[in-house]
Every structure is written in structure tokens, then in C-alpha cells.
């Protein structure tokens, strides 16, 4: 009788029910928490170099001919004055910002729906959106840091950045067609300290003959703090000094 009723109603045995509940409550793979202050990592005994990826010329890159000409023209233009975007309070932009901006530290705030990355240099801020917070392509506005979306692959955070502006004023010059993928994972350093490894791959058929890759390692700074980077304030003070000099000379 019971078998007939169960066949008609689709009964679930207690064993099957408990198994289903246990499966539903099983936690997902634990994701590392990247929250904290990070600075350029160096192996023991090595001097602390710059962060790389900033505004310098850097290593030779596989530029196509048109890109070479654009970069050469830019360098010839600013060469006599040594002017830089930073001198006008303009941040490095991607991928230079994520590769260290010349050795400055960064701070990460991790939440389930997004990561906020603050680079000390020029107080640049990036937002990496995940899941339902990812910005639709039609709503993305081109900028020097582009728009970033993230996803977890096990314990690795994968970040894709698109909608960049063309930049020839940093080491990794690129067009507005560039697409950057970063892969972040935690490792242990030589003395057991926490190290954040960031692997970058940039694909840009308008500038490069092949993908451009770089690796940046960050060391955790327990209870660290970012310092103010008031480039705009410095520019304003300089401007006030100029006005005072002009007022004093009557010119």
C-alpha cells in the first residue's frame, strides 16, 4: 500500500532528504581574503626596486610599426621638457597602476560583490565588480583604468578590464582595443610571509604582435596605512606662489 502511495505522490526517503540537505548546505570552496595593505615584494637580500609598469620606457615590447611611431612621437614631444602626466596630477592608468606605479603601495577592500583597490600613487581607485554588480558593456565609459569585472576560479581571482583609453604615456602603452586579464593568488614568501602574486596578460591587436605579459608580487603590510598623495594640493600651492610673485613684481 505504502509503495503504491509513494509511487503516485513521489515520496522522498529520509535518507535521500538528509543527503539533499547536506549537499545544499555544503560551503563553497573557501576564497582567500585579499583585504589589506600591500607593498612591492622583494626576496631577502635583494634591493627594493620600483614597482615596474609605470611611466618609464621599460623592456622592449612587441609593438607593431604604427604603435612604435605613436610612442616615438610622444616621447619626442615631451622629451625636451620631461613633462609627465603625473606632473599634472594624472594617474598612471592600467596596467601601470596595478603593476606598482613606481613602487607605491596599494590597499584592497574585499566584499562579496566587489573589490575596491586604492593605489597610494595619485590616490587612484579601481573597482572590480563581481556577479550581479558587473557593469554591462553598453554602460561602460572609457577611462585610463577602464572597467573591471572579476570572477573566482577556485582560490584565484580573475579580473578582466576593457574600455580603456589609448595611452602612450606609460611603459605598457596600448590602444583603446586593449583587453587586460589579471590573475591574483596568495603564496608564501621566503620567510613564510603572505605574498600576493598578480599575473597580467594584455592583448591588443592594434598595438602588439602578441600578448604582453608581466608579473607583480606584493608583500602584506600588517596594520599598514596608505599615506596621503595630494598632488592637486601641491599644484594649487605652486599656483598661489606664482600669483604672489606676479603681485610682488606687478607683472
Amino acid at each position: 500500500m505504502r509503495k503504491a502511495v509513494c509511487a503516485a505522490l513521489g515520496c522522498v526517503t529520509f535518507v535521500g532528504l538528509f543527503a539533499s540537505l547536506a549537499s545544499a548546505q555544503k560551503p563553497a570552496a573557501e576564497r582567500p581574503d585579499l583585504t589589506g595593505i600591500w607593498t612591492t615584494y622583494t626576496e631577502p637580500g635583494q634591493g627594493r626596486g620600483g614597482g615596474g609598469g609605470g611611466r618609464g620606457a621599460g623592456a622592449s615590447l612587441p609593438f607593431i610599426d604604427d604603435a612604435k611611431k605613436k610612442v616615438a612621437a610622444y616621447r619626442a614631444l615631451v622629451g625636451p621638457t620631461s613633462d609627465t602626466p603625473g606632473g599634472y596630477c594624472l594617474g598612471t592608468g592600467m596596467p601601470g597602476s596595478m603593476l606598482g606605479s613606481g613602487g607605491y603601495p596599494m590597499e584592497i577592500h574585499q566584499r562579496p560583490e566587489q573589490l575596491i583597490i586604492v593605489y597610494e600613487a595619485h590616490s587612484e581607485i579601481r573597482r572590480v565588480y563581481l556577479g550581479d554588480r558587473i557593469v554591462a558593456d553598453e554602460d561602460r565609459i572609457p577611462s585610463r583604468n577602464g572597467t573591471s569585472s572579476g570572477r573566482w576560479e577556485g582560490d584565484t581571482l580573475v579580473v578582466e578590464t576593457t574600455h580603456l583609453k589609448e595611452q602612450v604615456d606609460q611603459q605598457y602603452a596600448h590602444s583603446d582595443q586593449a583587453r587586460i586579464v589579471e590573475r591574483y593568488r596568495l603564496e608564501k614568501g621566503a620567510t613564510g610571509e603572505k605574498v600576493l602574486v598578480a599575473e597580467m596578460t594584455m592583448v591588443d591587436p592594434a598595438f602588439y604582435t602578441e600578448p604582453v605579459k608581466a608579473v607583480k608580487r606584493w608583500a602584506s603590510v600588517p596594520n599598514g596605512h596608505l599615506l596621503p598623495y595630494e598632488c592637486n594640493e601641491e599644484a594649487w600651492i605652486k599656483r598661489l606662489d606664482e600669483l604672489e610673485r606676479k603681485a610682488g613684481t606687478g607683472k
Side-chain angles (χ1 to χ4, degrees), residues 48-65:
R48 187 179 185 277
R55 306 186 192 278
S60 177
L61 296 170
F63 287 117
I64 64 172
D65 288 341

Side-chain angles (χ1 to χ4, degrees), residues 124-135:
E124 280 191 87
I125 297 176
R126 289 180 66 203
R127 291 175 173 84
V128 179
Y129 296 108
L130 298 93
D132 294 341
R133 288 283 291 158
I134 291 177
V135 181

Side-chain angles (χ1 to χ4, degrees), residues 3 6 27-28 47 78 88 95-96 108 110 141 165 176 195 211 216 220 231 236 242:
K3 288 182 179 180
C6 283
V78 300
Y88 290 82
I108 297 178
Q110 182 174 328
I141 300 173
K165 287 185 175 180
D176 57 3
V195 175
K216 169 73 179 184
S220 175
C231 177
W236 176 237
E242 290 175 3

Side-chain angles (χ1 to χ4, degrees), residues 115 128-131 134 140 148-152 157-160:
L115 287 87
V128 179
Y129 296 108
L130 298 93
I134 291 177
R140 299 188 176 197
S148 299
S149 59
R151 67 180 185 276
W152 288 97
L157 175 67
V158 181
V159 180
E160 295 189 28

Side-chain angles (χ1 to χ4, degrees), residues 112-128:
E113 76 281 6
Q114 74 177 68
L115 287 87
I116 301 172
I117 306 174
V118 182
Y119 301 105
E120 184 176 281
H122 298 282
S123 299
E124 280 191 87
I125 297 176
R126 289 180 66 203
R127 291 175 173 84
V128 179

Side-chain angles (χ1 to χ4, degrees), residues 83-122:
D83 281 344
T84 66
Y88 290 82
C89 301
L90 192 59
T92 307
M94 282 288 287
S97 53
M98 63 81 57
L99 290 172
S101 294
Y104 287 89
M106 69 173 177
E107 182 172 13
I108 297 178
H109 299 268
Q110 182 174 328
R111 304 201 317 236
E113 76 281 6
Q114 74 177 68
L115 287 87
I116 301 172
I117 306 174
V118 182
Y119 301 105
E120 184 176 281
H122 298 282

